[in-house]
Amino acid sequence: QVQLVESGGGLVQPGGSLSLTCAASGRIISVNTMGWYRQAPGKQRELVATITSGGGTNYAGSVKGRFTISRDSASNTVYLQMNSLKPEDTAVYYCNAQLRSSVGGPAYDYWGQGTQVTVSS
């Protein structure tokens, strides 16, 4: 059984900062790409940022230069540092990990439960 547990969401004023953390636990053989996605009310889930096992990163254009994704492969943890937050960043943020839970088996997508980020004055 694999679990992704997120923490760090909350309410922040425009221009403020928040940091999200997601830890994967359980039967994990290897972790490939990890990332963050978000879903605002009435909108589809969208990519925020991803990071590969080799450290390569990819960002949505709307967050580039403001958000930074990083990971600790030893603990299967991914982080998202969010600076200069805007009201349009308000959403539920979901952690994602592509990982193998059996030797020689395929990698599957796993998702966290989501954490609310609200940017408002």
Side-chain angles (χ1 to χ4, degrees):
Q1 193 80 323
V2 174
Q3 276 191 314
L4 271 61
V5 179
E6 300 135 339
S7 61
L11 171 65
V12 65
Q13 291 187 340
S17 298
L18 276 177
S19 180
L20 304 182
T21 299
C22 172
S25 63
R27 180 173 168 76
I28 298 172
I29 303 300
S30 62
V31 182
N32 298 338
T33 298
M34 302 185 79
W36 292 93
Y37 293 72
R38 67 187 181 187
Q39 187 166 18
K43 295 188 176 181
Q44 288 190 332
R45 190 174 297 189
E46 64 176 5
L47 178 146
V48 175
T50 61
I51 183 166
T52 67
S53 57
T57 58
N58 180 47
Y59 293 92
S62 59
V63 307
K64 200 171 291 186
R66 300 187 298 122
F67 291 11
T68 301
I69 189 170
S70 60
R71 69 189 280 176
D72 178 0
S73 295
S75 63
N76 296 323
T77 301
V78 63
Y79 307 93
L80 186 69
Q81 177 64 40
M82 304 183 291
N83 299 326
S84 302
L85 282 159
K86 305 175 181 180
E88 51 264 43
D89 294 317
T90 295
V92 177
Y93 283 69
Y94 296 91
C95 172
N96 170 268
Q98 297 168 3
L99 61 87
R100 288 180 171 79
S101 60
S102 62
V103 178
Y108 292 104
D109 272 323
Y110 291 84
W111 293 89
Q113 79 285 359
T115 185
Q116 177 70 46
V117 171
T118 303
V119 184
S120 175
S121 54

